[in-house]
Amino acid sequence: MTEAVVDYPQCRITPLRMLKPDSAEALLNEVVKIPGIRRMMINGPNLPRTVPYGPARGKPNPNSNRKVIMVGGSEFELRVQVGTMIFEVLDDSVTEKIRALCDRFFTKFPYQLQTGKKYMRTQPTVADYAKYGPNVDPDLIGLMDPRNKEGPVIIQGR
């Protein structure tokens, strides 16, 4: 028997500029205080530890944006420069709380907050099945990159 899939609303914050690690840490620490956020994902350009191609291939890539940040009591290294943040929330009232937070946070440059149900996958794909098997945790679907050797960072909220 198949289980009913609950379609949770999603929202995406897209600032006009890429966020520096300190700004991203400050924003995410405020966001995790909002009750009703089920899952979140941070997207942006990759910040590799070593140069992936060219004459300096394999040498260390000194990038000041690859920092260890602390969000909601969990410490992790930023592997991307924060460009967009996607949230899956319990209902639309949580989206309005996120919008109010962003209105207070983004004062020096604008941002966009878009809502819908299309930003984060909710059903497993063939890649999910191939890497994680048929019993993949539904809360991790859409948050994992099958090519990445490191797993997702789990932040325990409220």
Side-chain angles (χ1 to χ4, degrees):
M1 190 122 130
T2 60
E3 296 179 22
V5 176
V6 179
D7 244 358
Y8 292 103
Q10 297 174 1
C11 65
R12 176 172 65 182
I13 301 170
T14 309
L16 179 66
R17 302 176 185 166
M18 298 284 185
L19 297 182
K20 292 194 177 275
D22 298 333
S23 300
E25 181 178 21
L27 177 62
L28 292 173
N29 275 318
E30 291 300 315
V31 167
V32 296
K33 294 176 186 174
I34 298 174
I37 297 176
R38 289 192 69 241
R39 307 185 302 163
M40 73 176 170
M41 179 170 45
I42 302 168
N43 287 332
N46 189 24
L47 298 172
R49 283 192 179 112
T50 59
V51 177
Y53 50 83
R57 182 180 187 164
K59 294 190 176 160
N61 184 13
N63 192 320
S64 61
N65 291 323
R66 190 174 179 100
K67 280 182 148 177
V68 175
I69 63 172
M70 179 79 105
V71 177
S74 298
E75 191 174 87
F76 64 95
E77 184 176 30
L78 274 178
R79 297 180 282 211
V80 296
Q81 188 169 6
V82 179
T84 61
M85 291 151 282
I86 302 171
F87 302 98
E88 187 175 74
V89 298
L90 295 178
D91 57 32
D92 291 327
S93 66
V94 180
T95 303
E96 292 309 313
K97 291 176 186 175
I98 292 173
R99 184 183 308 275
L101 169 68
C102 288
D103 286 341
R104 290 190 313 269
F105 188 83
F106 293 108
T107 57
K108 297 187 180 185
F109 55 92
Y111 75 96
Q112 274 188 328
L113 190 136
Q114 299 165 316
T115 59
K117 295 181 181 177
K118 58 187 175 214
Y119 304 114
M120 195 181 298
R121 284 187 288 121
T122 56
Q123 297 293 319
T125 62
V126 174
D128 292 326
Y129 183 80
K131 183 157 186 172
Y132 303 105
N135 299 323
V136 64
D137 184 4
D139 289 338
L140 296 179
I141 292 173
L143 300 179
M144 302 177 289
D145 181 3
R147 297 171 304 213
N148 193 351
K149 304 286 187 271
E150 302 171 26
V153 176
I154 308 293
I155 298 172
Q156 297 297 326
R158 305 176 102 182

